[in-house]
Amino acid sequence: MLHPVGPLSSAVYWRRRLLVLALVVAVLGGGGWLVAAAVSGGSGSASAAAPRTGTAADPTDPPALEQVVPSLASVRTPTPPAPAPESPAPEQAEPAPADVPAAPTPGGPCGDDMIALEVRSPGSAAAGGQPTFDLVVTNVSAVPCVRTLDKELQEIVLFDGAGTRLWGSNDCFPEASDDTRTLAPGESVAFPLVWGGRTSEPGCAAERTVLGAGQYVLRGRLDTKASGDAPFAVV
């Protein structure tokens, strides 16, 4: 094979062999390129199918912040409502004046609150004695007033220390009169009454006895006005 034999020159045969060899090499080279392309194509497809690190989003990765939080420029801040106008404070009603008692009318009746009543006594008396007691009416108002001072409206009563009634000025010798007076401011009127030193009951039906020694209390009355207690002793 190295020494071609034929009617042509040896150079022609060498050129034909080189041409055939080049074709073989070209064919072999093309096949190898096809194989390499097939191999590289498969790997490229696999690479394309697989997510590229750092480029494709991993479904387990959290979404980007700008995709979750909207831009502040796109968020509309609600405008706060305008404050309601202040309503004028209600006018404070003036407190109702306290009920003031009406001033007494000059020359009108002397009410119980316009007079003072007290019983005056000598303070003590001997058993069986006849001391004099005074029922005193005083106009304590600032104006003159009129008061009925009839005898039947007057009374002085004596009690023991336990509050038991022992004597009354109207029990046995009641009196009657027609006595209406105008009392000036500060004016006092005294009505004397003599006590016989004995006990009595209303109507004077019970036996009267001499009151024994002891500490007692005198109390006066003018119609509906009552006095305070005045101490009195029988010795």
Side-chain angles (χ1 to χ4, degrees), residues 9 15 19 29 58 66-67 69 72 75 91 102 135 147 149 159-160 181 186 194 203 209 217-218 221 227 234:
S9 65
R15 283 196 296 269
L19 182 57
D58 190 346
E66 61 272 11
Q67 297 177 0
V69 180
L72 294 178
V75 177
E91 295 183 2
L135 184 65
R147 183 78 183 202
L149 306 174
F159 300 89
D160 64 11
R181 303 188 191 185
V194 177
T209 60
V217 172
L218 294 169
R221 178 182 65 84
S227 74
V234 174

Side-chain angles (χ1 to χ4, degrees), residues 104-110 114 139 141-147 180-185:
T105 303
C110 295
M114 299 173 66
N139 178 6
S141 73
V143 296
C145 58
V146 179
R147 183 78 183 202
T180 300
R181 303 188 191 185
T182 298
L183 303 177

